[in-house]
Amino acid sequence: MFCYSLFHHSPPLITKWKPQLLFFKPNFKSQFSPLNFYPNQNFPHFFTKRISGYPIKSPAFSSSLEDEFDVELGRLLSLLPEEMRRRIREHEELRELIEVVMDIGRKPLARFPSGDFVLSDCPITVQDIEHATSQVGDFAIDNRAGISRTLHRISAIRNRKGTIIGLTCRVGRAISGSADLLRDLVQDGASLLLIGPPGVGKTTIIRDIARMLANDYKKRVMIVDTSNEIGGDGDIPHAGIGCARRMQVPDSDMQHKVLIEAVENHMPQVIVIDEIGTKLEAMAACTIAQRGIQLVATAHGVTIENLIMNPSLEILIGGIQSVTLGDDEANRRGVQKTVLERKGPSTFSCGVEIVSKTELRVHRCLEATVDAVLAGRFPRIEIRKMNSQGLEESSQTFTDISSDKEDLVVTGDLSETSDENSIGNHFPSDLSSKMADDSTEDRDLLHMYVYGNKQLF
């Protein structure tokens, strides 16, 4: 059995975590306007001279780990013709390879953090595609296959007759320590929902969370692996999941049934799910959470806002309903008579927005965040970062209210935004006084950041 850990995993770093508390003001044009926390927000990937862009905990790799990664990467490169293998091995960013794209009639491309690299001047032929597909497992109904006991994913493009005419060969890596920023939440038994765009590292993080829970905290962990991305292809799971067990899903449409089966048959303490995407899967996750089982799952999106506006996944954050208020209550709240409110308890206790492989936005109380968004108040989040030495650090992207000049600018922007785009959802006076008191006590921990963009709507 190969050992697939790519980084030297030193003992957990024990530091006194000082979360950076930021207050944000959603920018609403009306109660039913599309929500948007981070307009025009970019999500950079901090790729450096390291595998996959993750920070390392040790300044040097052991030769054995390098050899093991080379073996696993070599199994993916064996799908390519000899000339393409030679050119890709000569590339200086070989160890940071993201994926290889092959389409019939087009030049093959290797994608690196720095950009695309043409592997051959000759277009891909049918024989090249057949050579690659003959060395991987069977393609499932979702047109995905893998290489046994690796984390690589091979995705197929078919024509109208069902013939494969293109392949995307994505490099998979198990990175020990990629979930260290969430260790305190995992240890407390919180159910985590990770949100992020494709390719930002959601699967890598939940794979390391599964290993952490099974190996470090000795919990019974069951992974429901829809497309074998967490545990790898083949009957023997990848070593990257540690002692966690894995249930494969024969058909993606059956994932919700396999979730219930895992709970009823195998008595897990933790269920790990990748890519909740349908209403049935969201309902199954809700049922599991009500049975007292810790959930760790991912969903596609950028912010919590995307879940609120997604009718299939809104149940994960408690569901959204329209409520008509009486005249007295509407006047007391200072809002219009019809408002949006959370329907019930959230399936997950914490939400994590993955900005990049080294930066996370943590919502410790997901219900409070959803309530604040719907009411037009300030969601409270923690921004956690990890530097190149593997040390946690707070974000430096804020507007410090200790500065008189900046305070005037921010206050004016907030008041203007509230007058123009909100419906009675202004900055509460008691919250303002509390923030002022807190900032006097510790100006390094409390900052105010203008949330939203008036030009968005």
Side-chain angles (χ1 to χ4, degrees):
M1 177 182 293
F2 296 114
C3 176
Y4 295 93
S5 177
L6 301 183
F7 297 103
H8 172 70
H9 182 56
S10 59
L13 178 66
I14 301 176
T15 60
K16 184 178 180 181
W17 171 257
K18 291 186 177 181
Q20 181 71 36
L21 302 182
L22 291 92
F23 292 86
F24 293 85
K25 179 70 173 178
N27 188 9
F28 296 99
K29 185 173 183 180
S30 69
Q31 188 68 31
F32 300 97
S33 297
L35 309 176
N36 196 326
F37 280 1
Y38 314 111
N40 304 322
Q41 176 69 49
N42 296 322
F43 293 88
H45 298 257
F46 293 93
F47 289 110
T48 61
K49 297 297 182 179
R50 301 178 182 88
I51 298 177
S52 186
Y54 287 93
I56 59 175
K57 292 182 174 296
S58 176
F61 294 102
S62 66
S63 59
S64 60
L65 292 178
E66 290 184 353
D67 292 342
E68 289 158 3
F69 174 72
D70 289 339
V71 170
E72 189 168 348
L73 181 60
R75 297 187 65 184
L76 177 69
L77 299 183
S78 64
L79 306 181
L80 310 178
E82 178 62 31
E83 179 190 355
M84 294 169 56
R85 286 201 303 268
R86 179 183 57 80
R87 294 195 63 177
I88 200 171
R89 288 187 182 278
E90 294 174 353
H91 198 281
E92 61 181 5
E93 293 182 294
L94 172 62
R95 301 185 64 81
E96 299 176 45
L97 176 65
I98 299 174
E99 62 187 12
V100 177
V101 176
M102 297 189 296
D103 293 321
I104 291 179
R106 293 185 175 182
K107 298 178 181 180
L109 298 176
R111 289 176 176 163
F112 297 93
S114 60
D116 293 349
F117 176 73
V118 178
L119 295 178
S120 176
D121 294 330
C122 300
I124 293 294
T125 64
V126 175
Q127 290 73 24
D128 295 332
I129 297 294
E130 292 178 348
H131 170 76
T133 56
S134 65
Q135 300 184 58
V136 302
D138 297 330
F139 286 91
I141 192 172
D142 59 356
N143 284 319
R144 291 181 177 182
I147 303 174
S148 181
R149 300 182 68 180
T150 73
L151 299 174
H152 306 314
R153 186 183 73 192
I154 316 299
S155 301
I157 298 176
R158 299 179 184 269
N159 61 15
R160 298 181 64 181
K161 297 181 180 179
T163 304
I164 297 177
I165 58 174
L167 293 174
T168 301
C169 307
R170 189 173 183 86
V171 178
R173 300 174 174 91
I175 303 176
S176 180
S178 59
D180 281 353
L181 288 175
L182 302 175
R183 181 176 289 272
D184 59 328
L185 302 178
V186 171
Q187 184 178 5
D188 293 341
S191 291
L192 296 178
L193 178 62
L194 284 74
I195 305 170
V200 79
K202 298 185 300 295
T203 304
T204 301
I205 292 178
I206 64 169
R207 183 187 299 118
D208 195 49
I209 289 177
R211 179 203 58 79
M212 183 188 300
L213 287 168
N215 291 10
D216 299 348
Y217 301 113
K218 309 301 180 183
K219 291 189 176 182
R220 299 189 300 272
V221 180
M222 180 63 73
I223 300 172
V224 177
D225 206 355
T226 307
S227 54
N228 290 346
E229 284 194 76
I230 303 178
D233 202 46
D235 295 334
I236 301 177
H238 192 277
I241 67 173
C243 298
R245 303 179 71 190
R246 188 263 300 265
M247 291 184 66
Q248 300 186 46
V249 181
D251 189 338
S252 58
D253 295 335
M254 297 177 59
Q255 176 166 293
H256 63 285
K257 296 182 180 179
V258 178
L259 286 171
I260 302 300
E261 178 186 341
V263 175
E264 294 178 346
N265 293 353
H266 304 288
M267 296 179 59
Q269 294 174 303
V270 182
I271 292 286
V272 177
I273 321 161
D274 193 16
E275 294 185 9
I276 296 179
T278 67
K279 192 168 186 177
L280 289 175
E281 295 167 4
M283 293 175 62
C286 183
T287 300
I288 293 173
Q290 293 175 355
R291 302 186 186 189
I293 296 175
Q294 183 179 359
L295 280 175
V296 180
T298 67
H300 282 301
V302 178
T303 65
I304 301 297
E305 152 206 351
N306 300 128
L307 295 184
I308 295 177
M309 302 304 297
N310 190 331
S312 299
L313 302 181
E314 65 176 20
I315 189 176
L316 297 177
I317 45 90
I320 307 299
Q321 63 182 357
S322 178
V323 178
T324 302
L325 304 177
D327 293 338
D328 294 340
E329 180 65 16
N331 292 332
R332 186 185 68 83
R333 297 189 185 186
V335 297
Q336 63 182 21
K337 295 186 64 175
T338 303
V339 297
L340 296 177
E341 291 185 353
R342 180 168 50 86
K343 185 183 301 184
S346 174
T347 302
F348 296 87
S349 54
C350 299
V352 179
E353 299 170 1
I354 305 178
V355 179
S356 71
K357 291 180 170 63
T358 56
E359 181 179 351
L360 306 175
R361 290 190 178 108
V362 177
H363 299 260
R364 279 189 172 269
C365 183
L366 190 54
E367 292 181 354
T369 295
V370 174
D371 293 342
V373 171
L374 297 178
R377 298 195 305 268
F378 297 87
R380 196 175 186 179
I381 71 171
E382 298 175 13
I383 294 185
R384 302 184 177 185
K385 292 184 179 180
M386 184 174 290
N387 59 26
S388 58
Q389 286 74 37
L391 302 176
E392 297 177 3
E393 59 181 17
S394 59
S395 171
Q396 299 300 316
T397 307
F398 55 80
T399 302
D400 194 342
I401 64 175
S402 62
S403 171
D404 294 337
K405 182 176 180 180
E406 292 179 353
D407 192 17
L408 291 175
V409 174
V410 173
T411 303
D413 190 51
L414 284 173
S415 61
E416 185 180 354
T417 302
S418 177
D419 293 340
E420 294 181 0
N421 297 328
S422 65
I423 305 179
N425 295 321
H426 52 79
F427 200 115
S429 59
D430 56 343
L431 179 59
S432 302
S433 60
K434 182 178 179 181
M435 290 174 59
D437 295 339
D438 292 341
S439 64
T440 302
E441 296 175 1
D442 191 349
R443 293 181 183 271
D444 293 332
L445 290 182
L446 182 61
H447 303 282
M448 188 164 60
Y449 184 82
V450 181
Y451 219 69
N453 189 334
K454 293 185 295 181
Q455 299 178 353
L456 179 64
F457 300 111

